[in-house]
Amino acid sequence: MKLDKLGRKNLPWVYLFILPSVVVFLTFYLLPIVTVFVTSLTRWDGYNPPTFQGFRNYSLLLSRSVFLISLRNLLWWSLIAGTLHVGFGVLVAFLFSRRPVGWKAVRTVYMIPNVISGAAWAMIYRFIFNNDFGLLNGMIRVFAPGFNVKWLFQSPYAFWAVTLTWLFYAVIITLIVHADLMSIPAELHEAAHIDGATGLQIAWRIDLPLCRFSIGTSVILSITSRIAMYEAVALTTRGGPGDDTMNIPIILVNAITDMNYGYANAAAVSMFVLGIVTLVLVNWLFRMNRRVY
Amino acid sequence: MADNAPSVTRTALVRQAGTSKEDVKRTTRRILFGVFMYGVLIFVFVVSALPVVWVIMSAFKDNSAILSSPFSLPNQLNFQAFVQVFTLYNFQTYTLNSLLVASLATLLSLVVYAMGAYVIARFDFPGKSLFYILFTLTLLVPPHTKAQPIFSLILNLRLYDTKTALVVVYLSFGMAMSMFILRAAFMAIPKEFDEAAAIEGASFVRTFWMINLPLAKTGLATAGIMMFLGHWNEYFYAMLLTASAKHRTLPLALAFFTEAFSYDYTQMFAALTVVIIPGIVIYALTQEQVQASVASSGVKG
């Protein structure tokens, strides 16, 4: 690499400056990730040195119904996230782009659920779904007195109750897609108008395809957040009733608590793999490797 | 988009040629769309604001009012539950812990990543793009997957159940986002400043500290706000790495509190209010930065 004068003279300083970031990267990213992958192939309790046992943790994982249920839940949640959740965020972004009265206020308020703690949000929903004093049953009882459902603790409602804690909160998607919509040249819309296209046709045939990147990114973001969803389950249903709302992070934390580190890390690797599969699949589905303009 | 010039001319053309029946159809469609649009916007507003408003309102009501009329406004502004939460149940300790951990982690991150981003933005050196790519790729690592190694690392460093553990771990969280924002901030500063400083005989550190850092303050503020919010809200690692009440942060304390005092609704709502208000206030004061950084990078916290 060619070094400029300033750069060559300062090279020791440059490396000294980047050193802290490199140390953080090595200690908190590279080393942990390597540890996770390597020790997922071992039996390890944290005290005794890990002993290699091949893919036993993985076959164990796949043989347990709690993991299979987690995968099934993840599949459903990902489908809902990739369609309804992203769809809602995109819809709101399109409505914002028409600048209706008060859209900025709505945008500001829409952000609130995302700036408060995920733990607190889970609590709020635990209260909303509470059978005694919850907001939801309070509303239902206005029309049907005597109504009683423990949303978070009864099958099959628990799965849908957990889903509702995130389903409509798609503000990040709205902001990304809205930024993308704003960058579409106005001439395109004018040309389409002159050719006699209706608003819906313009949205469907021009805007949506042109926002492919931000929508694809949104799908990836929303599915990976489902893979890593912890508070919304741990602080509401803890995976129950039965294993109805189980997911992989819960399995991971339980395994750490049980000092079953190899098994925990196999679960962590499965999260990695699922994330990468999502990335590749969505990239291909949305043709994100091709240019838009 | 709906009412710009071409559409007006087009409507005029249609009006000349078309029938009044078509006009009616067009108007109905416009009204229906308006109803749909404002319906969705009102829905968005309600699902985002109502839960928070309901929680804050309930913190001022007594148990029986919470049970009998969930929608009623509180009769009086009774701060008793807040006083109890703070004085009897140690929420002042938890608040201080949260404040301490989040601010320290944010400040340290800003120093560490500003140094890194500065040299990446400013100088050519072997390994530069590799470092940048690796640092930003950390965005793709779900924080939970590193739970066991980080848990063991903290144990081995004898930092388990300390606030230091949280500061150190949180320090690593903002890496990708800070590099993103800060590198762009430093790249926007004209290089001539550095050259002038070099001619004047300013040292490397001085050039960074006295000239570049002040000029990058918008970027520093944005990265700082996003990181602070993330640290303030963090639950997973706080749960994993602390045990005693002495080192508990607010989100964790909230979880413990609602387990232990599930019969006193007013206090539960008060505790919840204490946890959510600071985040909302920080956001309200800095919404432009928060929204812009979310829109550009697609990450929060």
Side-chain angles (χ1 to χ4, degrees), chain B residues 118-282:
Chain B
Y118 171 65
V119 293
I120 287 178
R122 265 292 193 272
F123 301 95
D124 280 329
F125 55 95
K128 166 175 143 154
S129 28
L130 177 73
F131 284 135
Y132 184 64
I133 291 170
L134 286 177
F135 292 165
T136 44
L137 266 183
T138 59
L139 186 66
L140 298 177
V141 182
H144 305 73
T145 54
K146 301 174 298 174
Q148 181 275 319
I150 286 184
F151 178 66
S152 298
L153 178 75
I154 293 296
L155 277 182
N156 292 335
L157 291 172
R158 310 209 171 282
L159 287 177
Y160 180 73
D161 198 20
T162 61
K163 289 186 270 294
T164 318
L166 295 184
V167 173
V168 173
V169 172
Y170 290 174
L171 166 61
S172 68
F173 281 175
M175 180 171 247
M177 189 199 54
S178 312
M179 283 290 163
F180 229 61
I181 296 175
L182 294 178
R183 188 185 138 216
F186 285 120
M187 277 170 76
I189 302 170
K191 218 171 177 167
E192 285 74 38
F193 284 108
D194 277 22
E195 280 151 14
I199 292 165
E200 297 284 325
S203 70
F204 188 89
V205 178
R206 210 177 144 80
T207 314
F208 167 69
W209 194 261
M210 304 287 281
I211 296 169
N212 283 281
L213 219 46
L215 286 171
K217 62 173 185 289
T218 319
L220 287 167
T222 307
I225 292 161
M226 298 306 282
M227 282 194 285
F228 186 89
L229 269 178
H231 302 155
W232 178 272
N233 291 336
E234 210 279 338
Y235 171 81
F236 184 80
Y237 278 99
M239 173 210 70
L240 200 66
L241 301 178
T242 64
S244 59
K246 214 168 60 187
H247 302 295
R248 228 165 254 167
T249 55
L250 274 178
L252 190 62
L254 177 70
F256 275 99
F257 187 81
T258 42
E259 285 307 322
F261 296 96
S262 54
Y263 50 85
D264 193 330
Y265 306 142
T266 312
Q267 282 184 7
M268 281 202 302
F269 282 112
L272 195 45
T273 306
V274 171
V275 178
I276 62 178
I277 289 292
I280 297 179
V281 170
I282 295 169

Side-chain angles (χ1 to χ4, degrees), chain A residues 3 14-15 21 28-29 44 101 107-108 110-111 115 117 123 133 139 169 193 228 230 252 261 265, chain B residues 10 38 47-48 71 124-126 144 146 148 151 168 172 175 205 233 239 258-259 265 283 287 291 300:
Chain A
L3 299 177
V14 166
Y15 282 111
S21 303
F28 290 98
Y29 289 95
W44 188 25
V101 184
R107 186 181 62 176
T108 301
Y110 199 19
M111 192 71 191
V115 297
S117 167
M123 284 301 168
F133 59 85
M139 276 196 249
Y169 303 102
H193 258 305
Y230 180 74
L252 177 88
Y261 290 177
N265 287 340
Chain B
R10 194 174 127 256
Y38 285 102
V47 291
S48 308
F71 310 110
D124 280 329
F125 55 95
H144 305 73
K146 301 174 298 174
Q148 181 275 319
F151 178 66
V168 173
S172 68
M175 180 171 247
V205 178
N233 291 336
M239 173 210 70
T258 42
E259 285 307 322
Y265 306 142
Y283 165 63
Q287 29 158 325
Q291 283 177 4
K300 62 149 192 163

Side-chain angles (χ1 to χ4, degrees), chain A residues 265-287:
Chain A
N265 287 340
V269 170
S270 78
M271 285 170 69
F272 259 111
V273 171
L274 287 165
I276 289 165
V277 168
T278 307
L279 199 71
V280 171
L281 214 64
V282 175
N283 254 303
W284 173 76
L285 266 175
F286 283 80
R287 316 246 181 319

